[in-house]
Amino acid sequence: MSDIRISLIQTSLHWENPTANLKMFDQKINAVEETDLIVLPEMFSTGFSMQPEHLAETMDGQAVQHMRQWAAQKQAAVCGSLIIKEGTHYFNRFLWVQANGTIYQYDKAHLFGLGDEQNHYSRGHQTLTISYKGFNLRCVICYDLRFPVWLRNKKDYDILIVVANWPERRIYAWKHLLIARAIENQCFVAAVNRVGNDGSNIYHNGCSMFLGPKGEIIQERNDDECVLQTMFSMKELDQVRRDLPFLGDADSFNVLR
């Protein structure tokens, strides 16, 4: 049976300052102990900005190159979301970079209307599930968490990866939505959120966490900058799914976007 070691980097972000953020993550990632996967917050190089025309980079940009370097340095996958430009469109794009340089991507499907995201970014239409270290990992961004139909596990993933800039004022929803997604999808969850104030003086208190497939919180941290690390076991997940075979009773449906 497989095990996977995951590291979440919960940190404050320098507002709309990619150079400062990349330097900061250089230091934090260098200090991460042996791991298989490093997970960074949503828009980790800028903060959750609605200024893509000033901050976007291409897939050859400096943040993407840093992700390649970090993955090679740590011999681990590195993931998080960035502001990416393609043609005339801007995307809040989740990138998964492997140690060999292979990149997988997912464009955020649910754009945050309360924050005017839909007027600055183009939405994605496809999901992203990655096979890695004996697990299937479903990768999503922040607001996606509120939409259980989009995240419904059709026996096609084992771990839900969530990267976010989720404010403290709605952290109750963050915590309980993560628990619900773990329970209903019988999956592990690894969710990272930022801390500190953003450029709109909106405070984020982290509450990054790991959860088990029964919704139990394995680790959780609030307010401070830290690296959370844990190991998920496929043997444990298989046992839960055998003992409680709820996924087999799920309704069949397709999501149209």
Side-chain angles (χ1 to χ4, degrees), residues 53-256:
E53 62 277 8
H54 303 300
L55 297 168
E57 64 175 72
T58 67
M59 290 295 288
D60 295 321
Q62 62 174 341
V64 179
Q65 294 305 316
H66 271 74
M67 293 183 78
R68 289 182 184 271
Q69 293 166 13
W70 296 331
Q73 171 195 348
K74 305 305 289 189
Q75 284 298 292
V78 177
C79 65
S81 91
L82 294 167
I83 302 173
I84 296 291
K85 182 179 182 181
E86 283 192 356
T88 59
H89 294 274
Y90 300 102
F91 298 94
N92 183 351
R93 178 167 291 174
F94 181 103
L95 295 181
W96 173 290
V97 182
Q98 302 200 158
N100 64 3
T102 300
I103 296 180
Y104 301 96
Q105 66 186 52
Y106 159 70
D107 295 326
K108 190 177 183 182
H110 299 92
L111 302 178
F112 186 51
L114 194 61
D116 205 31
E117 190 177 12
Q118 76 282 1
N119 291 321
H120 299 277
Y121 296 90
S122 298
R123 74 176 190 178
H125 297 272
Q126 304 298 322
T127 62
L128 175 63
T129 303
I130 295 169
S131 295
Y132 181 67
K133 299 291 181 178
F135 292 81
N136 291 322
L137 300 94
R138 178 74 179 273
C139 305
V140 300
I141 304 173
C142 202
Y143 193 44
D144 288 327
L145 183 61
R146 286 186 176 270
F147 301 93
V149 173
W150 179 250
L151 298 180
R152 186 61 180 167
N153 189 356
K154 299 180 180 180
K155 297 185 179 180
D156 55 358
Y157 71 87
D158 308 304
I159 302 173
L160 179 65
I161 303 291
V162 186
V163 303
N165 273 210
W166 197 289
E168 187 273 340
R169 65 182 65 169
R170 290 185 293 278
I171 208 68
Y172 181 91
W174 161 261
K175 183 172 182 176
H176 289 81
L177 288 168
L178 288 170
I179 293 170
R181 299 296 86 85
I183 293 170
E184 70 198 12
N185 294 301
Q186 288 191 304
C187 65
F188 290 114
V189 175
V192 66
N193 190 28
R194 65 160 294 176
V195 294
N197 287 316
D198 67 13
S200 301
N201 202 36
I202 296 173
Y203 182 68
H204 302 72
N205 70 328
C207 200
S208 299
M209 63 177 71
F210 294 111
L211 298 100
K214 296 180 182 179
E216 70 277 22
I217 296 174
I218 298 169
Q219 288 189 51
E220 175 186 0
R221 285 285 289 272
N222 299 302
D223 293 305
D224 61 330
E225 295 191 342
C226 63
V227 177
L228 279 74
Q229 294 182 307
T230 200
M231 181 177 289
F232 290 149
S233 165
M234 182 58 77
K235 181 179 180 180
E236 176 188 348
L237 182 60
D238 284 347
Q239 187 63 55
V240 169
R241 289 174 171 177
R242 282 195 301 268
D243 292 344
L244 304 169
F246 300 145
L247 292 179
D249 297 328
D251 298 313
S252 178
F253 57 83
N254 291 308
V255 179
L256 302 178

